[in-house]
Amino acid sequence: MTKLREVIKHLMDKSPLDSNPMIEVDEWVYSTCGYCSVGCGLYIGVKDGQAVTVEGNQDSPVNRGRLCVKGLYEWKFLQHPERATSPMIRKKDKLEPVSWEEALTFMINKMEEIRNEKGPEAIGVYHTGQLLLEEYYALGKLAKGVIGTPNVDSNTRLCMASAVKGTIRSFGTDGSPGCYEDVDEGEVLLIFGANPAEMHPQLWQRILHNREVKGTKIIVADPRTTLPAQIADIHLPLRPGTNIALLNAMIHVLIRENLLDEEMIDEHTVGFSAVKALVEDYPPGRGEELTGIPAETIVEAALLFGKAARGTTLYGQGVNQSMSATDTAALINTLHLITGKLGKPGCAPISLTGQASAMSNRDVGGSFSLPGFRNPANPQHRLEVAEAWKLDVEKIPAYTHDIMKMMGLIDTGKLDLLWVIGTNPAVSLPDQKSVRKSLENVFLVVQDVYYPVETAAYADLFLPGAQWGEKTGTYTNIERRVNLANQAVEPPGKAKGDLKIFQEIAKGLGAEEGFSWLNPEEVFNEWKVLSKGRPNDMSGMTYERLEKEQGICWPCPDIHHPGTKRLYTARVFNTSKGIAQEYGDFNHEEGRARLWAIPYTPPPESPDEDFPLWLNTGSILEHYHTRTKTKRIPELVITAPEGFVELHPLDAERLDIREGERIRVVSRRGWIQVPAHISTTLSPGQVFVPYHFGDLDPSEAHLKQAANHLTLNWKDPFSKQPMYKTSACRIEKVGLAQ
């Protein structure tokens, strides 16, 4: 942890240009960071038509001029020699450069052939959380309105789907109830299954500042002793897969000690009696039995949270990718509702989104919903969208399939074409042996900004897209702040912006009229009409306002509206404690939030004699997703060049493993071979593998590093999100039988 602390301290103390004060640029272009969903404001420095640096935006209310190590070097991936610059078609088992005309004709003819023979259900679209809002809108309109396929999903399924479903179950619609100021003003911060020090560094800076200035107390629930856990007032090192047991035990204590907002419960929620009855079976002693956390520590954490006037919870993939993920998100919301910690400063459950535009994707219906958080299963919602798009309502599917369902449809011969855009399923999806077999058996179109990437090894057609810095549009961040990212440079070679590619494909499919926008703001304006009156209303936003005001939080229903910091704050009443609070009508039919009584369910796979260790996967500071961008930045690669397995010294001693020794991690699904990192940041009996690293050559088994050769293909029943963080494995010395 010494290196990590030094890096983070450096980032706290220096702005990006402190390390390179001599750099000269022709212009600074206003933009927003394209990595995580914190949404840091920055300027791109351009010299002779090339990006040469970035500078943190001092006026941004998000990051106040500071950038993390990834944002600091973001400009460097724009000019890498492996940028994809030409369309390619597979000929004689090799991708060969072709013209755009040949590539698009090939794709459109194949789509029409499949649609005529098997219908639109035989076509699938799987995309990313890193496009622009305008591109998601266009793609959703193309896939669901023109092609008419229900097979539309994005890699936000892998990181945010459970948080979305849990938020909808509690409040009736998607969207974080709080804002970053709630992190600044919370007396207690509960960090649950998240590591903002590595994943959301500028949000972590706010946490550290709050702690230093206001003495904020920090509770961390995480199996690993991450940096946040190391500095926490209370660390809850729960066993993998026991989130529900811990939350039930904490709620048990809150009810027993009467640390409740009774007026909030009585007037604005339903379901409390069921919650109260269920948690009677989860006293702290049973919580200890299930989670491994001492009962007195559970009580201490519950009392600290319950007695605080202001408390904010930050949760991440330790919730969304673990057992009972949707249920855990809903139970975190329940914790806030019963204690009245919602709709006022310093009080909010906040889901930490991983990708820059994951919220934009959800806003405009880029994957499993329709624009404006409309439900495709609702006939009225489909009709509203069909009328806006000037389409027959029967054209729009009433359901969608998740990506793992699509893999199954490939295997059964029901899905013939898969269009993958800006994501890398040959590394990121669980149970890679099965996934790669599916990719071999489908007509695969890959649209990406680099070549090679692991998924492109299976492509029949490759389309080169543009990326951050090379196109204009908007991102919606964690706190619902919509901000502008302007184009600074041209994409290389024949690469095109994704919006332009979608328009040309729509034209080839006979839908040119509905895709005739001249620029991205025209797309944004069309979307705004569909947003009017919806929970995420953006009809008062313009590109000019977004840049001038450093982003605006939705809903923003008219041009004079300043945007909305917090949701559910429309109604004022006096609580039994005499403190003025505000709550608005929730988006369920009864206008109340729903509390959830959820029993603990053990994971579908646990350690046993053959696979005696818990396997956990996650992120590290230097890298992002499957390293498509970050592995092309030397300053990041030099500090984290390859995958590794982290294990406790007691396990290393028992297995006779030394620091740096290359060992094999084996699960029921496959194996990887990586160096050992011996660390006390996790408990005995557990191992940790970062998920960023793919295979250098998928044909050579001994080079396997992708963590998802190991992970379990088990989906949350509500969100259909894979469970990456709870499975079993063993460690083998290299040379033992596979």
Side-chain angles (χ1 to χ4, degrees), residues 138-186:
L139 179 59
K141 186 177 183 180
L142 172 61
K144 299 170 187 176
V146 176
I147 299 171
T149 178
N151 299 311
V152 183
D153 201 6
S154 69
N155 65 16
T156 60
R157 177 76 63 182
L158 312 182
C159 55
M160 296 312 305
S162 295
V164 173
K165 287 293 184 181
T167 301
I168 293 171
R169 290 178 79 191
S170 297
F171 306 123
T173 193
D174 192 7
S176 173
C179 60
Y180 293 157
E181 289 182 16
D182 294 325
V183 177
D184 300 336
E185 300 185 30

Side-chain angles (χ1 to χ4, degrees), residues 370-371 374 380-391 396 530:
L370 292 173
R374 289 175 173 87
Q380 180 60 33
H381 286 185
R382 289 202 313 280
L383 180 61
E384 291 167 2
V385 174
E387 289 178 347
W389 288 350
K390 298 179 182 179
L391 294 171
I396 300 173
L530 269 168

Side-chain angles (χ1 to χ4, degrees), residues 719-735:
S719 68
K720 311 304 180 186
Q721 180 168 350
M723 184 181 69
Y724 290 97
K725 291 186 173 290
T726 313
S727 54
C729 70
R730 67 172 179 259
I731 300 294
E732 293 179 351
K733 302 275 283 187
V734 171

Side-chain angles (χ1 to χ4, degrees), residues 250 253-254 256-257 259 298-308:
M250 291 179 67
V253 175
L254 293 170
R256 185 184 72 191
E257 300 297 324
L259 296 171
I298 295 175
V299 172
E300 182 185 8
L303 294 179
L304 181 59
F305 185 86
K307 290 180 179 180

Side-chain angles (χ1 to χ4, degrees), residues 304-348:
L304 181 59
F305 185 86
K307 290 180 179 180
R310 298 181 176 188
T312 291
T313 299
L314 305 171
Y315 67 97
Q317 305 308 359
V319 169
N320 300 326
Q321 294 179 344
S322 193
M323 183 65 190
S324 303
T326 297
D327 284 339
T328 302
L331 207 50
I332 288 171
N333 297 333
T334 295
L335 182 73
H336 277 263
L337 287 162
I338 66 174
T339 58
K341 292 180 173 62
L342 185 76
K344 59 179 181 178
C347 295

